[in-house]
Amino acid sequence: MEENIIKLTKALKEASKIVFFGGAGVSTESGIKDFRSKDGLYNLKSKYGVNYETILSHSYYEYNKDIFFKFYREFMINNEAKPNFAHIFLAKLENEYHKDITIITQNIDNLHQEAGSKNVIELHGSIMRNYCEKCGRFYSLSDILKMDNIPLCPICGGYIKPDVVLYEEPLNNNIITKALISLEEADLLIIGGTSLNVYPASSFISYFFGDNIFVINKEELNINRKIKGVIYLPIGETFKMVDNVYSK
């Protein structure tokens, strides 16, 4: 393990362009549940008579808005969550160590930005943005939290939808393009806290053409690529060790 920490630190120092590709496991140390692990959200007993994965689909949202928003407010919005050391170290790489780093995240929690990262590509949107499906007006998270369970636009009366990508919905093409270009240009790819089971995000790493790949994950990933190092620890804990080496 110590050997891979040293190898990862060396790779970070030498890299010209870094991409960190992260999933739900990046935020678990902030108290936000992941989805597919043994204790993840999708393995909890549902209180709504339908599994939680189904609730996060576009078709369910369309016809069951009351339950969707009850679930969304309880499980997808966490105002108490703060950036953990994974978010903090990635921001530190950019702002203190002056590395060219792009974060491609599948998370919607805004914690990378809160930690200070500027170059963040949100594949699945953000809880911070919400828009009226009728007139297009945007609303902040604080606006939504002041409204009734099903938020309605005070201007036109339309439904206000979180600007997040639900199952059955396509990713934004401009976001996809930015992510793929970042991967193509990078010479170091770090994959962390993701099962790589969600398509199409799971296919993105094939656009990284280098051979400098590190994985930080508590479970083994099925990746058909040569990996420089695998660290089976929480990401925040890993980056604390990396930072100790990096700063010497």
Side-chain angles (χ1 to χ4, degrees):
M1 191 65 67
E2 183 178 344
E3 179 185 352
N4 281 333
I5 294 293
I6 293 170
K7 285 168 62 177
L8 175 55
T9 306
K10 185 173 184 289
L12 283 167
K13 286 188 173 183
E14 294 177 352
S16 297
K17 295 180 79 69
I18 305 163
V19 166
F20 177 83
F21 187 97
V26 177
S27 293
T28 53
E29 290 168 88
S30 296
I32 297 177
K33 277 192 172 295
D34 65 6
F35 294 92
R36 300 177 188 278
S37 71
K38 181 179 68 173
D39 300 316
L41 192 58
Y42 293 162
N43 288 313
L44 295 179
K45 184 177 180 181
S46 174
K47 62 172 70 174
Y48 298 115
V50 60
N51 67 67
Y52 291 154
E53 190 168 9
T54 298
I55 293 176
L56 284 174
S57 66
H58 178 81
S59 54
Y60 194 90
Y61 164 80
E62 283 293 310
Y63 299 106
N64 302 275
K65 286 185 172 60
D66 182 57
I67 291 178
F68 173 88
F69 277 106
K70 284 178 181 176
F71 166 84
Y72 184 79
R73 288 174 184 270
E74 180 176 359
F75 291 106
M76 308 307 291
I77 298 174
N78 188 338
N79 273 340
E80 304 301 317
K82 299 298 178 187
N84 63 59
F85 200 81
H87 306 101
I88 292 167
F89 178 71
L90 291 167
K92 188 175 183 179
L93 282 172
E94 178 182 354
N95 299 315
E96 294 186 32
Y97 296 142
H98 306 293
K99 302 300 295 187
D100 184 345
I101 178 169
T102 299
I103 296 167
I104 302 175
T105 180
Q106 299 173 81
N107 296 338
I108 61 174
D109 53 38
N110 198 56
L111 293 181
H112 284 296
Q113 292 92 329
E114 192 174 330
S117 290
K118 302 177 185 68
N119 196 10
V120 181
I121 298 173
E122 297 171 314
L123 293 180
H124 297 151
S126 173
I127 62 170
M128 306 306 290
R129 299 185 303 271
N130 305 268
Y131 65 93
C132 174
E133 294 183 288
K134 187 174 180 182
C135 71
R137 184 183 179 90
F138 270 83
Y139 293 91
S140 68
L141 176 60
S142 60
D143 292 330
I144 299 304
L145 293 177
K146 296 173 186 174
M147 297 181 183
D148 293 334
N149 182 50
I150 301 177
L152 299 175
C153 177
I155 306 300
C156 72
Y159 292 115
I160 299 175
K161 181 182 181 296
D163 191 15
V164 300
V165 179
L166 303 176
Y167 293 118
E168 305 166 351
E169 294 179 344
L171 301 188
N172 180 288
N173 284 331
N174 291 333
I175 297 296
I176 292 175
T177 300
K178 286 176 63 178
L180 297 186
I181 290 173
S182 296
L183 285 160
E184 288 174 350
E185 293 179 345
D187 55 3
L188 171 61
L189 171 61
I190 304 170
I191 302 168
T194 175
S195 64
L196 289 181
N197 283 332
V198 179
Y199 185 85
S202 58
S203 67
F204 283 12
I205 63 169
S206 64
Y207 286 83
F208 176 75
F209 299 117
D211 59 359
N212 216 9
I213 302 176
F214 285 81
V215 173
I216 309 170
N217 215 51
K218 290 195 281 187
E219 299 174 358
E220 186 175 355
L221 296 183
N222 183 21
I223 302 177
N224 189 25
R225 296 288 297 273
K226 185 177 180 180
I227 307 297
K228 282 286 182 68
V230 180
I231 301 169
Y232 295 110
L233 290 174
I235 301 175
E237 182 180 333
T238 299
F239 280 150
K240 281 182 182 178
M241 292 187 285
V242 170
D243 193 36
N244 286 335
V245 179
Y246 199 111
S247 58
K248 290 180 180 177

